[in-house]
Every structure is written in structure tokens, then in C-alpha cells.
């Protein structure tokens, strides 16, 4: 019998989109049904005529994709909805299907086959489309755990009779290409630069996830004239029956490099910004190597973006950035440069291995890993509401526990496993304990 949906109050802690994204992501991965009410109820709207909470277009795009991927039955999956029931079908109760490239259908994955024999699947592709510059990176945040830990053939189900399916299930899976259309540089969201220069390198090199590559096909901006962009992510999921090992973020090491990405509307602005940032960084770190991986024309005076990433001798990356969404002048360029360099220096002074925004991104991987994962966030580091929210959701769905230092003994999720079987054992024990308590009180 399917378990009752786990009820989650969308007003809890951060009470915004992160709770929704992570809850649906873990529900799709574990096949545990959930029911969320008061979705994003803690959010406020700039316009009194518009509802503050509920599902927005970007949230809906991620939820719809995960619903299709897990063949979930849903209610409330519509724009502005404040409630959502999400019931993935139990693992093994269906054959997950893909379609051949160019063949019409409702499936989210398309097989790209070898051009020689036409039968060997060399890659699977999927695409998520937004009509407005909602954050590409927040959509990726929602679907990434599912992509990594539940590839299309992870359950070992037959998929439209392809001849080499036996080889696929033995090796684990085939490469995935995910194309997301939306905003790459959006206010109140991580930028594509932060994702590609901080998050992904940390996940691959320090956490141990398979390689992920990023290609910006076109930038999407929320400032100036709103533009919808396109980003392509290529990744290899974890093999079937594998588990992510616990990881330890300790001993940050010395700062050896600074990576500066600057996007401004003209060469004079970029030159000025580059000079100011270089002066500020060398004043504090005279021996550090300063690199400029991105210097790009935004073609709009209301678009200015700066990211500075500190790389350490032990492979950690910490970043701070600023997206300026108004017309900029010389004084504003200096303000942006001073703000970002100061904030990054404050991060480095804490001595931790992660910055403020990386802290909550690691929670789901701590919870899914096998063993005790430790993340040194630095001295006097407060735990952000986003981090507390991610821990709360992970604890409710996966049954793990985070201590006050943020250490977690993960659940050891195995790719392809029926996680519900494991949770059912816990539920039986909990129900027995509750029944015993009731009997003792009577």
C-alpha cells in the first residue's frame, strides 16, 4: 500500500522556493509522496495586485519536469497555486520510456543514437522552456539531485527494446544533456558564472559527483530589456547501485588564485572595473594570481555583473558577486568593486571552506551520501535560513539528522534502490512506539 503523503508546511523557516524545489526533488527521487501547503507564503510581492506566494513560472517548470520524470500524479500543479500534492509512481511499477530523437511524444528524454549503427544510445537529451528570464540556475538546483542519482535507466527497466540495454544497465547509464531556457543573470538568484565557477567545481572535485560541463548558448537577463537565454548542461549520472561517499570540507588551505568575471556595457567600464578590482585584491593579497576568465559586453547600460572567486591550495572555491540592475557610472563601478571585494574578504577571514551561498547547496548531498559528511563553514558563521530549510526538508524526507555544527550521517542512498522499503521499516517502528505510548496513557 502506498504511504500517506508527507505533509510539509511551506511557511517553515525560509518559507520560499527552496523548500518547494528540494522537497519535490527528493520526492521524485525517493518516490515518497508529499503534500505542500502555504507554498512560498513568506514571500512578498513588489506589486499589491499580484499574489506574493504560490507557484511562479520557474517553480512550475521544475515541478512539471520532475513530475514527468517520475510519472507523478499531481494536484495543484498550476501557476499561483499555494498547495501541491506530488505522488510519484512506485519504483519498478512501470517501464520508463524514452523516445528516439525527432520522434514526437510526451516523454521528457530523447535518445541520440550512434550515427553508424543507429541503435546504440550515445546520449539522452531533455529541454526545459521558460518564456521569461526565470532563473536557469534555480531550475538546475531543483532537478540536479534527480539527474545525478536517478538516471533514466537507473531502475533497470527495459526502455523501448534497444538492443544494448543490457550493457547500459551494467555500466549504469549514458550521458545526459539538459538544456534550460531562462535567465542566466537574474536578481536574487545564483548566476551561471557562480554555478560554473564555484558550485560545479566544488561538487565534482570535492564532493565527488561525476563531471558536469556548462555551455552558455545565449545569456538571459532580468535587467535592462528582459531576455530569455539558453544554457546546456552535460553530465554523467552515478552508475546504478552506486552510492556517494561521505565528504569532509576541512583545512581550506591558502588562497592562491582570484578569478574575476566582469560583464559591463562598454570597454571603458570593463577597463575601469578591472583596474579597481585588481588594486583592491592586490592590496590584501599581494602574492595571489589574478585571472580574468570572463570579460564580456552586456550591450545594455543597465546590466553590470561582477563575480570574484577565491581558489585555495586545497581546491576549495569561495565566491561573492553583485548584479547591478540600473544605469552605472564611474562612482557605481567603484561601489560595486568595493562591495564585492569587501564581502569576499569577510568570507575569507572566517577561515571556512565554503561561502554563504554554497552552504545550503551542499545539504542535499550530505543527506544522500553514505557516512558522516563534515562542512567547515568558518568561525562566527551563522547558519542561513536557506541552509536550515534544506536541512529540515532533508530530515523530514530522508530521515537523516543534522547536528548543530551541520554535520550529517547521510542515508547512503543507492542509485536504483526502492527507498520506500527502507522508510517503511522506520514508519512501522514509529507507529508501534506511538501505539505503545497510547496504551500506556489509557
Amino acid at each position: 500500500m502506498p504511504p500517506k503523503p508527507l505533509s510539509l508546511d511551506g511557511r517553515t523557516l525560509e518559507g520560499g522556493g527552496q523548500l518547494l524545489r528540494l522537497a519535490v526533488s527528493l520526492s521524485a527521487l525517493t518516490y515518497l509522496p508529499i503534500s505542500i501547503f502555504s507554498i512560498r507564503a513568506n514571500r512578498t510581492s513588489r506589486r499589491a495586485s499580484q499574489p506574493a506566494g504560490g507557484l511562479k513560472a520557474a517553480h512550475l517548470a521544475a515541478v512539471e519536469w520532475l513530475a514527468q520524470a517520475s510519472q507523478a500524479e499531481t494536484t495543484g500543479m498550476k501557476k499561483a497555486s499555494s498547495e501541491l500534492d506530488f505522488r510519484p509512481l512506485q519504483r519498478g511499477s512501470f517501464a520508463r520510456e524514452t523516445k528516439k530523437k525527432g520522434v514526437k511524444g510526451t516523454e521528457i528524454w530523447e535518445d541520440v543514437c550512434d550515427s553508424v549503427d543507429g541503435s546504440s544510445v550515445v546520449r539522452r537529451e531533455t529541454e526545459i522552456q521558460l518564456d521569461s528570464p526565470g532563473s536557469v540556475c534555480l531550475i538546475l538546483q531543483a532537478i540536479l539531485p534527480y539527474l545525478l542519482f536517478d538516471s533514466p535507466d537507473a531502475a533497470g527497466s527495459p526502455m523501448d527494446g534497444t538492443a544494448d540495454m543490457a550493457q547500459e544497465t551494467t555500466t549504469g547509464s549514458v550521458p545526459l544533456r539538459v538544456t534550460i531556457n531562462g535567465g542566466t543573470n537574474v536578481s536574487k538568484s545564483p548566476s551561471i558564472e557562480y554555478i560554473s565557477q564555484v558550485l560545479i567545481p566544488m561538487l565534482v572535485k570535492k564532493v565527488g559527483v561525476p563531471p558536469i560541463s556548462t555551455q552558455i548558448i545565449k545569456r538571459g537577463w532580468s535587467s535592462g530589456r528582459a531576455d530569455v537565454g539558453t544554457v546546456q548542461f552535460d553530465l554523467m549520472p552515478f552508475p546504478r547501485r552506486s552510492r556517494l561517499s561521505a565528504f569532509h570540507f576541512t583545512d581550506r588551505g591558502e588562497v592562491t588564485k582570484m578569478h574575476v568575471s566582469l560583464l559591463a556595457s562598454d570597454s571603458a567600464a570593463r577597463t575601469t572595473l578591472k583596474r579597481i578590482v585588481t588594486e583592491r585584491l592586490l592590496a590584501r593579497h599581494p602574492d595571489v594570481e589574478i585571472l580574468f576568465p570572463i570579460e564580456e559586453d552586456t550591450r545594455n547600460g543597465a546590466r553590470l555583473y561582477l563575480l570574484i572567486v577565491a581558489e585555495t591550495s586545497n581546491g576549495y572555491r569561495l565566491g561573492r558577486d553583485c548584479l547591478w540592475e540600473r544605469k552605472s557610472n564611474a562612482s557605481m563601478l567603484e561601489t560595486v568593486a568595493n562591495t564585492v571585494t569587501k564581502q569576499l574578504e569577510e568570507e575569507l577571514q572566517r577561515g571556512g571552506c565554503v561561502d554563504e551561498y554554497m552552504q545550503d547547496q551542499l545539504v542535499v548531498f550530505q543527506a544522500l551520501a553514505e557516512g558522516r559528511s563534515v562542512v567547515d563553514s568558518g568561525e562566527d558563521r551563522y547558519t542561513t535560513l536557506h541552509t536550515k530549510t534544506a536541512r529540515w526538508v532533508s530530515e523530514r524526507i530522508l530521515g537523516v539528522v543534522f547536528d548543530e555544527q551541520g554535520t550529517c550521517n547521510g542515508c547512503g542512498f543507492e542509485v536504483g534502490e526502492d527507498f520506500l522499503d527502507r522508510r517503511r521499516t522506520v514508519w512501522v517502528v514509529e507507529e508501534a512506539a506511538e501505539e505503545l505510548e497510547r496504551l500506556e496513557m489509557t
Side-chain angles (χ1 to χ4, degrees):
M1 179 181 296
K4 294 180 181 179
L6 176 65
S7 180
L8 300 171
D9 187 342
R11 298 167 296 185
T12 303
L13 297 168
E14 175 259 351
Q18 189 196 39
L19 187 154
L20 169 77
R21 287 188 296 272
L22 182 55
V24 175
S25 180
L26 290 178
S27 173
L29 182 61
T30 62
Y31 287 69
L32 174 68
I34 60 172
S35 179
I36 311 176
F37 61 94
S38 299
I39 293 173
R40 300 181 63 251
N42 292 357
R43 289 293 175 261
T44 57
S45 175
R46 295 180 181 178
R47 300 178 183 177
S49 60
Q50 292 183 349
L55 291 169
K56 301 298 183 185
H59 306 116
L60 193 57
V63 171
E64 287 177 337
W65 189 92
L66 287 165
Q68 286 183 279
S70 61
Q71 296 196 2
E73 297 176 349
T74 66
T75 56
M77 194 169 67
K78 59 185 178 181
K79 196 171 181 179
S81 175
S82 61
E83 297 183 357
L84 175 70
D85 290 336
F86 192 90
R87 296 172 176 265
L89 294 181
Q90 289 187 343
R91 184 180 299 281
S93 63
F94 62 91
R96 299 183 191 182
E97 296 179 350
T98 60
K99 61 179 180 178
K100 297 291 184 181
K101 182 73 173 178
V103 179
K104 293 183 179 180
T106 59
E107 301 84 1
I108 60 170
W109 292 106
E110 291 186 345
D111 283 354
V112 179
C113 296
D114 186 279
S115 59
V116 178
D117 60 29
S119 62
S120 300
V121 178
V122 297
R123 184 175 65 249
R124 293 200 166 97
E125 298 182 353
T126 188
E127 185 169 2
I128 299 175
Q129 177 69 52
L130 284 177
D131 297 324
S132 60
S135 175
V136 163
C137 301
L138 291 181
I139 293 177
L140 177 70
Q141 182 189 75
I143 68 175
L144 186 58
Y146 187 90
L147 291 170
L148 289 171
F149 290 90
D150 196 337
S151 60
D153 56 326
S157 301
M159 302 170 68
D160 66 3
T162 51
D164 63 341
M165 211 36 233
Q167 179 181 356
E168 287 187 50
T169 54
T170 300
T171 58
S173 54
V174 296
L176 305 179
R177 173 167 292 174
V178 181
T179 302
I180 306 178
N181 303 284
T184 59
N185 300 81
V186 180
S187 61
K188 299 181 179 179
S189 303
S191 69
I192 192 61
E193 283 71 37
Y194 182 89
I195 295 298
S196 60
Q197 296 183 40
V198 181
L199 176 63
I200 290 177
M202 292 277 273
L203 290 181
V204 173
K205 296 179 181 179
K206 306 303 293 185
V207 173
V209 308
I212 304 172
S213 65
T214 303
Q215 182 180 359
I216 302 173
I217 308 300
K218 178 179 180 292
R219 285 195 180 275
W221 295 87
S222 60
S223 55
R225 180 175 58 85
D227 272 343
V228 175
T230 302
V231 183
Q232 187 174 279
F233 300 94
D234 286 286
L235 66 149
M236 178 69 79
F238 283 106
R240 186 173 177 237
R241 297 197 179 104
S242 67
R243 302 185 187 206
L244 173 66
S245 298
F247 50 91
H248 294 78
F249 279 31
T250 57
D251 187 16
R252 185 182 72 192
E254 300 298 321
V255 176
T256 57
K257 297 177 183 178
M258 293 287 188
H259 304 264
V260 182
S261 298
L262 45 92
L263 291 78
S265 60
D266 58 75
S267 59
R270 293 193 296 276
T271 300
T272 300
L273 195 58
K274 186 175 182 178
R275 174 183 58 80
I276 298 172
V277 169
T278 301
E279 291 174 355
R280 300 295 183 272
L281 292 177
L282 289 178
R284 295 183 172 95
H285 305 275
D287 299 323
V288 77
E289 181 182 5
I290 302 177
L291 305 172
F292 293 87
I294 298 177
E295 297 182 58
E296 192 174 307
D297 186 354
T298 63
R299 298 182 177 85
N300 190 302
R303 295 171 179 169
L304 173 65
Y305 177 75
L306 173 65
L307 167 70
I308 307 178
V309 178
E311 183 180 355
T312 77
S313 55
N314 288 334
Y316 294 101
R317 289 185 171 223
L318 296 86
R320 292 303 295 229
D321 63 354
C322 177
L323 175 65
W324 186 261
E325 297 185 289
R326 288 167 285 177
K327 291 285 184 179
S328 57
N329 51 37
S331 64
M332 287 301 100
L333 293 175
E334 186 160 4
T335 298
V336 169
N338 289 340
T339 298
V340 176
T341 53
K342 180 182 177 182
Q343 290 178 347
L344 180 60
E345 189 61 27
E346 290 172 350
E347 289 282 4
L348 296 175
Q349 290 297 323
R350 291 190 175 96
C353 297
V354 297
D355 61 50
E356 176 183 350
Y357 303 110
M358 188 68 185
Q359 189 184 55
D360 65 278
Q361 303 285 326
L362 295 174
V363 169
V364 65
F365 296 98
Q366 288 181 268
L368 290 169
E370 183 176 32
R372 181 174 177 268
S373 294
V374 180
V375 177
D376 180 2
S377 298
E379 296 180 3
D380 301 322
R381 163 74 73 193
Y382 64 92
T383 303
T384 65
L385 270 180
H386 280 84
T387 301
K388 291 179 180 178
T389 304
R391 290 174 183 172
W392 179 79
V393 172
S394 298
E395 289 176 340
R396 294 294 308 279
I397 295 179
L398 299 177
V400 298
V401 176
F402 285 82
D403 64 21
E404 294 182 358
Q405 287 72 44
T407 298
C408 175
N409 284 311
C411 70
F413 184 86
E414 181 180 284
V415 177
E417 76 165 297
D418 185 349
F419 191 78
L420 283 182
D421 272 350
R422 203 197 308 186
R423 293 295 282 149
R424 284 190 189 98
T425 303
V426 176
W427 295 327
V428 169
V429 173
E430 289 176 347
E431 289 177 358
E434 291 175 0
E435 179 64 23
L436 180 60
E437 185 177 350
R438 282 195 295 269
L439 292 173
E440 291 176 347
M441 293 177 63
T442 56

